[in-house]
């Protein structure tokens, strides 16, 4: 009889879970960065405690400096392990009932388990983006016009092809990374 491997959400108990928090800086520019939290006890951690853990992580690491000025005040479930993900690359716009408004509720009581993904963002920015979900031209160019394999030697040429100059990258302090078939610009 073949031995069945455990699923990712079953590997660790909810008292020692790993979750991913998608920190969203800008909906318009699709600027987000993921923070992986290990050894989180979902049976004892509340929504407000999770927010504080994330804020503390952001403010204690210099690599998160571009996110220091973002008012992060809302958590929303993005996906669970082996669950369906949204087609929107930045946030799940449907299921407003997945917004975690009550701060004293324990994460396990909300159905959190190992490998759960949650988004952390500014609620006003989310509501504005939901009313008018337009993505900036820069982001659209990068995601829709660049559809070919890229060698590291041709990065600047490819950026120029998208209408992005080195001056633009330096002016806006952008970092970029080429991942076939898209270029991902991060802060």
């Amino acid at each position: 009889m073949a031995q069945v491997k455990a699923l990712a959400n079953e590997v660790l108990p909810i008292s020692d879970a790993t979750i991913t928090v998608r920190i969203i800086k800008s909906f318009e520019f699709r600027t987000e960065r993921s923070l992986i939290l290990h050894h989180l006890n979902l049976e004892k951690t509340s929504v407000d405690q999770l927010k504080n853990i994330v804020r503390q992580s952001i403010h204690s690491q210099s690599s998160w400096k571009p996110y220091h000025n973002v008012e992060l005040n809302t958590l929303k479930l993005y996906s669970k392990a082996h669950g369906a993900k949204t087609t929107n690359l930045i946030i799940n716009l449907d299921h407003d009932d997945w917004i975690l408004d009550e701060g004293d509720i324990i994460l396990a009581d909300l159905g959190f388990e190992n490998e759960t993904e949650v988004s952390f963002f500014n609620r006003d920015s989310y509501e504005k983006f939901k009313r008018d979900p337009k993505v900036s031209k820069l982001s659209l160019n990068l995601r829709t016009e660049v559809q070919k394999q890229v060698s590291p030697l041709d990065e600047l040429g490819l950026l120029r092809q998208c209408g992005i100059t080195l001056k633009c990258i330096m002016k806006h302090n952008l970092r970029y990374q080429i991942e076939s078939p898209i270029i991902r610009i991060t802060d």
Side-chain angles (χ1 to χ4, degrees), residues 26 32 34 37 56 98 102 110 122 127 137 155 176:
S26 169
E32 72 88 28
S34 295
L37 298 175
Q56 184 179 13
W98 290 0
E102 298 180 39
L110 293 167
N122 180 283
E127 295 296 339
K137 183 178 179 186
E155 290 179 4
Y176 63 93

Side-chain angles (χ1 to χ4, degrees), residues 95-158:
H95 296 292
D96 275 345
D97 54 319
W98 290 0
I99 292 177
L100 311 176
D101 284 328
E102 298 180 39
D104 57 342
I105 295 182
I106 301 298
L107 298 176
D109 295 341
L110 293 167
F112 275 55
E113 54 191 16
N114 190 43
E115 299 294 332
T116 296
E117 283 188 51
V118 63
S119 299
F120 195 27
F121 52 89
N122 180 283
R123 182 73 176 260
D124 293 335
S125 298
Y126 169 76
E127 295 296 339
K128 180 181 173 187
F129 182 72
K130 191 168 179 184
R131 284 191 301 275
D132 187 22
K134 290 183 181 173
V135 179
S136 75
K137 183 178 179 186
L138 175 66
S139 183
L140 283 174
N141 281 346
L142 291 175
R143 294 189 187 283
T144 59
E145 291 180 12
V146 181
Q147 298 291 327
K148 66 176 187 176
Q149 296 287 333
V150 180
S151 72
L153 300 175
D154 195 30
E155 290 179 4
L156 284 176
L158 183 60

Side-chain angles (χ1 to χ4, degrees), residues 8-69:
N9 58 330
E10 298 170 343
V11 172
L12 294 175
I14 61 174
S15 61
D16 187 32
T18 297
I19 67 168
T20 302
V21 182
R22 299 163 49 83
I23 315 295
I24 300 172
K25 182 176 180 182
S26 169
F27 292 98
E28 177 186 3
F29 290 99
R30 291 185 178 171
T31 308
E32 72 88 28
R33 188 167 169 199
S34 295
L35 175 67
I36 311 297
L37 298 175
H38 300 281
H39 310 294
L40 197 63
N41 187 343
L42 302 177
E43 296 172 315
K44 293 185 178 178
T45 306
S46 70
V47 172
D48 281 343
Q49 288 172 331
L50 178 60
K51 289 179 183 179
N52 290 333
I53 290 168
V54 173
R55 285 186 192 117
Q56 184 179 13
S57 294
I58 290 171
H59 289 289
S60 66
Q61 299 174 30
S62 62
S63 63
W64 285 91
K65 189 173 182 181
Y67 290 79
H68 288 186
N69 63 348

